[in-house]
């Protein structure tokens, strides 16, 4: 993580955004490329939705994935603690 906030110019769905944050430029590039690709995929399968609705759908999908990953992390932490206790 960077020490101070920096600006990152991102192009998502053909629009340019300036994102200010403490993450590295490489991190922001990866994130914006993923968002752009996922929006493009959603656009293919949801032709009848407005851009704003696709953005909400993407946010819901992303949070859903985050919750699942957090569950897996907790399970792995518990397993690690159990294995450490056995040692």
């Amino acid at each position: 993580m960077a020490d101070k906030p920096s600006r990152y110019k991102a192009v998502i769905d053909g629009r340019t955004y300036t994102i200010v944050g403490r993450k590295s430029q490489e991190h922001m590039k990866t994130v914006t490329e993923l968002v752009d690709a996922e929006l493009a995929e959603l656009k293919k399968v949801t032709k009848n939705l407005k851009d704003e609705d696709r953005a909400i759908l993407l946010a819901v999908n992303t949070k859903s994935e985050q919750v699942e990953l957090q569950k897996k992390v907790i399970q792995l932490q518990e397993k690690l603690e159990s294995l450490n206790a056995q040692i």
Side-chain angles (χ1 to χ4, degrees), residues 8-82:
Y8 179 77
K9 293 254 187 225
V11 178
I12 301 170
D13 197 29
R15 297 180 189 152
T16 302
Y17 300 89
T18 300
I19 302 169
V20 179
R22 296 183 186 274
K23 301 293 184 184
S24 71
Q25 296 288 306
E26 182 179 322
H27 175 86
M28 294 310 303
K29 181 178 186 284
T30 300
V31 169
T32 56
E33 286 174 353
L34 286 169
V35 169
D36 191 48
E38 288 182 33
L39 273 177
E41 188 62 31
L42 280 174
K43 207 173 224 182
K44 288 179 189 175
V45 297
T46 60
K47 295 182 187 303
N48 59 332
L49 289 182
K50 297 178 193 173
D51 288 344
E52 294 82 7
D53 294 332
R54 282 190 197 101
I56 294 295
L57 184 56
L58 177 59
V60 170
N61 289 343
T62 300
K63 280 299 180 182
S64 177
E65 290 173 16
Q66 180 183 1
V67 168
E68 290 301 316
L69 289 172
Q70 285 174 330
K71 285 180 186 177
K72 287 180 183 178
V73 167
I74 290 168
Q75 290 171 346
L76 289 171
Q77 287 172 332
E78 289 171 351
K79 186 172 184 175
L80 179 59
E81 288 171 9
S82 174

